[in-house]
Amino acid sequence: MQQSLWHANSRFPDDKKMQLRIGINVGDVMVKSGDIFGDGVNIAARLEALSEAGGICVTRGVRDHLRDKVQAKFEDRGEHKVKNIARPIRVFRVVFDERARPGNIDEPPVDEIDNSANGGQLKSADAEIVFWQSVQASESMEEYRLYLDNYPDGKFAELAKNRLADPAQAEDPSVEVTFWESIRDKQNPALVRAYMEKYPQGKFRSLAKILLEDLSAPSP
């Protein structure tokens, strides 16, 4: 994907290029209403934030699975303490030739893509969707502003404006419910504190305080 984007971007000036940050993790996830949740997803999102524009960061597990199996090297970036994750994660930057052609992608070279009226509109719409998906995976308000700068009348412009106007209320309430359900029975004070930090006015704050007191009480 990053190699394809590099070739696609090569025809545009810097202020028109679309660059993505990618984070890859391997782990368990929870599926609800067509979306996925859990530490496995949260860690991937944190890796995305740590990667460079046009780059990829992965966890140790991904590195161990892929080492010596792909045409890339893995640069150890050390351990990082990230938001809402109890333990530090080991981060590896994927080192690859961004200018190389992907070897397993069935699409025409960039200079052969149909840029006629209908074809060009389709590619533009696809690019906006990819852009928006990247923005949603990030917790940075700057990403939402960047989306509006590029697509002031885009399909997701109203959603972006709502998120910028009130980040707390714009979040899907089902995300908080899933977060709480995933940690309440784990008997882990760190996870309860993470919930309270993320949702200081959350629906389950009273229950979280009681649970934290019980978990912090000395054993008889």
Side-chain angles (χ1 to χ4, degrees):
M1 181 184 294
Q2 296 291 38
Q3 289 171 334
S4 295
L5 276 173
W6 187 92
H7 287 283
N9 282 331
S10 63
R11 64 174 58 190
F12 298 111
D14 289 344
D15 61 344
K16 297 294 184 181
K17 292 180 180 179
M18 181 174 70
Q19 293 185 309
L20 302 183
R21 296 177 172 87
I22 294 179
I24 304 176
N25 182 33
V26 57
D28 295 331
V29 299
M30 296 177 291
V31 181
K32 185 175 181 179
S33 302
D35 207 347
I36 55 175
F37 307 93
D39 281 353
V41 181
N42 293 337
I43 290 173
R46 302 296 178 256
L47 289 170
E48 176 203 340
L50 291 170
S51 68
E52 302 165 348
I56 306 170
C57 280
V58 304
T59 56
R60 184 199 298 270
V62 174
R63 189 282 307 265
D64 291 345
H65 278 295
L66 296 181
R67 185 165 47 182
D68 301 326
K69 297 178 182 178
V70 295
Q71 292 182 342
K73 296 181 180 179
F74 298 89
E75 178 183 279
D76 191 344
R77 288 293 184 91
E79 292 190 335
H80 290 254
K81 177 67 177 175
V82 296
K83 183 180 178 182
N84 293 338
I85 303 299
R87 289 176 292 182
I89 58 174
R90 193 84 177 195
V91 177
F92 293 83
R93 183 176 74 92
V94 182
V95 181
F96 60 96
D97 182 2
E98 62 183 6
R99 303 187 180 201
R101 287 281 183 187
N104 60 345
I105 190 164
D106 295 324
E107 63 182 26
V110 173
D111 55 2
E112 295 179 14
I113 293 177
D114 179 11
N115 282 315
S116 61
N118 290 335
Q121 290 173 7
L122 179 61
K123 291 299 179 184
S124 178
D126 288 346
E128 181 189 352
I129 291 171
V130 172
F131 197 149
W132 177 249
Q133 290 172 337
S134 173
V135 169
Q136 282 188 304
S138 171
E139 292 189 356
S140 170
M141 294 298 103
E142 188 59 36
E143 297 284 348
Y144 285 88
R145 296 187 187 95
L146 184 60
Y147 167 82
L148 288 173
D149 287 344
N150 284 273
Y151 301 98
D153 300 313
K155 300 177 185 292
F156 312 102
E158 288 303 316
L159 291 173
K161 291 174 184 177
N162 290 340
R163 184 64 190 268
L164 287 170
D166 190 343
Q169 292 185 14
E171 184 169 306
D172 184 347
S174 68
V175 176
E176 181 192 350
V177 174
T178 303
F179 191 158
W180 173 251
E181 290 177 348
S182 72
I183 65 142
R184 65 181 179 182
D185 297 324
K186 290 191 176 180
Q187 304 294 307
N188 187 330
L191 292 177
V192 179
R193 292 191 192 97
Y195 165 81
M196 296 174 72
E197 290 176 3
K198 184 172 180 62
Y199 301 101
Q201 306 299 326
K203 301 179 185 294
F204 309 102
R205 184 165 182 82
S206 297
L207 291 173
K209 290 178 68 175
I210 294 172
L211 178 58
L212 187 58
E213 290 174 359
D214 290 343
L215 292 174
S216 302
S219 302

